[in-house]
Amino acid sequence: MKKIFYLFLFLGQTIFAQKIYTVNQIVGQNLNGFIETFDDTTFKLNILDVKTIQKSGVFKPLNGTEIKKSHSIANHWVHFRLNSKENRSLILELDNPRLNEISFYKIFGDSIVNQVHTGDSKLFNTRAIANKNWLFPIEIDEKTIDIYLMLNKKYEALSTNIALFEAAQYNILSQKIYFYWGILLGLTCFVLLLNIFIWYATNDKIFGWFMLIIFMNAFHISAATGLGFQYIWSDFPNFNSFYPQTFSTWLVIAFQLIFMQLFIGQTAQNSRVYKVVKIFTKSIFLLFIVFATILYFGLIEKQYFQIMLIISLIINFLIIPLSLISIFERIQKREKIILFFTVVSVFKTIVLFIYLANLILKFTKFDSLDVVLCNFLFDLIVLSIGVIYFGFSKYRHQNELLLTTLHASEQAQSKKIIEALEIERNRIAEDLYDDVGAMLSTAINYQSSILRKVENKEKFPILVESRKLLDRAVENLRTVSHNLMPKNFATIGLSKSIEETINKIGQNSEISFYYQQIGVEKKLGAAKEVQIFRIAAELISDILRNSEATNATIQLIYGKENLILMAEDDRGIEPINNNLASKVDFIDAKLNIDFGVNGLTIIVEIPY
């Protein structure tokens, strides 16, 4: 009976004899046509069982070098045979870092020379070589050896390419790859630190949500590539599975929607889909909580992957119309920030459509990680620049509004103070004119009655001098009270009040004052005209105090766009008068001073 069994076994080996791959020195040696596979649906076969099955010819040739299963329900065994004419150090690479369990066997004859049991469900230090991908060293020395691999990705999608490299050549290639990943890491850290600094400086939520988008995308990429498992959570293999990455994708989409609403200023008042976007965002967070709970308790293990995949596709499809509608609602206003975000959204939509089209047409190798990487680089370089630019523009605009509000508040406060001062000026002017003026007039009448007698003038000449002093005091009192506020200012208006003031001053001054009005007088409001009158009085006072002039001219020119108050003298001294400048600033006027050898000219331009 044994002889018959060995006879059939020999015939099976002869009929199904596998081709032997002879190792050469080509980088990424192509094993196409030399690999055979077998699916263990029982999940129970060991290497000895599989060796026996392989010898019986049950293994099937693999078309190409990629193992691909849309829904894995077996342990997938891989076998190929190698030989070499000289001693070689090789590296076997599986380029999918997310394989739950992997068993590697190097067999010479009937002896297992080397075996490795690892996987992303085990600690990182179980790997044969520390690398983001699965690497297995193979030493070969003029002998024919068998390589067996067991790949397990139970109830998930399995896709990995099998490649063979010369060890020295692979090390050079690996260093280049890690160098590029290092550049991406540096750029990511720089963008995150920059946004943290700006967020702290401006306290703007946009930068916080943008950082969350970058952080979750970085987590997804580091998990999908195996870099996170290698450098960050090597003792926590659960983070390296498919599901945390899927959850991170959901959170990225939710964060993007919140960021979009803040960035473009979408509100319930300016958007019809504002509430829809809000509900969709909250639904994503709810799905995250529900499916994280289901995963934790293992409630639907067999269908869990497929359900999550379907939900992920639905979420990715729904975000496209919501984003585009939100943008096109506002694009008619041609705001820079909306146009910028339109370019960003259109780019990401095109990338997603290319990926989906590739799934159907298969025109190139383009997986979901490529989509994430493409969008991530675009966010790091283009979107981050836009966020910083428009964020600072918004911050600057808010500061300008704050300064404008503060200036308006200061003006309102100053107006109240000036109004209070005007009331007090009027009261003082009335008191001076009515009370003090009346008392002085009474004193003058008393003296007049005494001085009517000639003998009193001769006997008391001092009374004549005191009468003159009283007359001058009354005149000065009238001038002061008139400068404080002309008693009939509201009746005669600004121009007549200035003219009247100049006429009264000119009667007792050695300087010849001239007044001229040009244009038709326009009413500017009582408060503003009072301030203009104060400025004119200040100019006249400066001429009297600080000038050795003989002639001075005051002009009031009513132009088309503004009122010009001009003061000129023929021998002026440039005044240093803070009161004048503050009065001019208060009515938003412009002060120009022209000081020359022929005199001084001061021009105040007052907008209507």
Side-chain angles (χ1 to χ4, degrees), residues 534-593:
R534 299 277 181 239
I535 293 170
E538 195 81 40
L539 291 172
I540 294 168
S541 178
D542 284 341
I543 292 172
L544 291 171
R545 288 197 309 267
N546 303 321
S547 176
E548 297 178 358
T550 55
N551 296 287
T553 302
I554 307 296
Q555 295 185 65
L556 202 60
I557 304 169
Y558 288 92
K560 292 182 179 180
E561 297 180 355
N562 52 25
L563 170 64
I564 297 176
L565 174 63
M566 183 183 299
E568 298 175 282
D569 64 59
D570 54 2
R571 292 186 63 187
I573 299 175
E574 186 173 1
I576 303 173
N577 193 331
N578 292 329
N579 289 333
L580 178 62
S582 62
K583 286 183 174 70
V584 170
D585 289 339
F586 181 74
I587 58 174
D588 295 325
K590 292 181 181 179
L591 178 64
N592 297 309
I593 300 175

Side-chain angles (χ1 to χ4, degrees), residues 179-245:
F179 175 74
Y180 295 135
W181 283 115
I183 293 175
L184 182 61
L185 174 64
L187 181 61
T188 303
C189 292
F190 172 76
V191 171
L192 283 173
L193 289 174
L194 183 62
N195 277 272
I196 289 172
F197 173 76
I198 299 173
W199 186 29
Y200 178 79
T202 62
N203 199 28
D204 193 336
K205 293 180 181 179
I206 287 177
F207 295 100
W209 288 110
F210 181 69
M211 283 192 299
L212 285 175
I213 293 171
I214 296 297
F215 177 80
M216 292 309 299
N217 268 321
F219 170 81
H220 180 94
I221 292 170
S222 59
T225 57
L227 290 167
F229 194 29
Q230 182 177 358
Y231 293 108
I232 304 173
W233 55 79
S234 55
D235 294 331
F236 301 93
N238 288 336
F239 282 109
N240 206 45
S241 70
F242 168 79
Y243 303 114
Q245 296 169 54

Side-chain angles (χ1 to χ4, degrees), residues 281-291:
T281 304
K282 291 178 180 178
S283 299
I284 294 174
F285 286 120
L286 181 61
L287 285 170
F288 169 76
I289 295 170
V290 170
F291 274 84

Side-chain angles (χ1 to χ4, degrees), residues 15 42 57 137 234 263 278 287 376 398:
I15 295 170
T42 67
S234 55
F263 190 72
K278 282 285 185 184
L287 285 170
F376 184 65
Q398 288 176 342

Side-chain angles (χ1 to χ4, degrees), residues 130 243 365 523:
Y243 303 114
K365 188 178 179 181
K523 293 294 182 183

Side-chain angles (χ1 to χ4, degrees), residues 1 82 155 412 461-462 531 565:
M1 194 71 181
L82 301 174
Y155 305 131
I462 195 170
Q531 293 307 310
L565 174 63

